Amino acid sequence: MSEPLTWVALASFGLVALSIALLAGLKGWQGWLDLKRMEVAGNRQSEARSPAFERIEMADLKERIRKLESIAACVDL
């Protein structure tokens, strides 16, 4: 091979290798974004709680308020 043809071949192979690396990186980025989208969607679904869970949480909050009020009144439980 002549000298200019060698440089053209090396440059084209380098360009192909760079594009393969960029496409692999882009595919990984898209996968990471999909993972984050699924995490956000899972958090939104977990926020839609059942009425029973809401009652349990409300009872827990009332108990915590009662304890804080007793502490404020200097009464130990």
Side-chain angles (χ1 to χ4, degrees):
M1 286 183 18
S2 65
E3 188 69 26
L5 188 56
T6 303
W7 284 108
V8 169
L10 285 175
S12 63
F13 290 142
L15 186 60
V16 167
L18 179 64
S19 20
I20 289 172
L22 288 175
L23 286 174
L26 181 62
K27 184 69 176 171
W29 175 253
Q30 289 296 327
W32 184 80
L33 286 176
D34 290 339
L35 176 68
K36 290 301 175 181
R37 283 186 192 112
M38 286 189 298
E39 286 178 1
V40 168
N43 288 341
R44 287 184 183 155
Q45 288 177 354
S46 67
E47 288 175 359
R49 298 176 182 153
S50 67
F53 183 79
E54 293 292 331
R55 286 192 299 269
I56 292 170
E57 187 176 2
M58 185 61 69
D60 183 47
L61 289 174
K62 286 180 181 178
E63 178 70 20
R64 289 172 63 190
I65 289 173
R66 187 181 66 78
K67 287 180 180 180
L68 289 173
E69 287 174 343
S70 68
I71 290 172
C74 298
V75 175
D76 291 329
L77 291 177

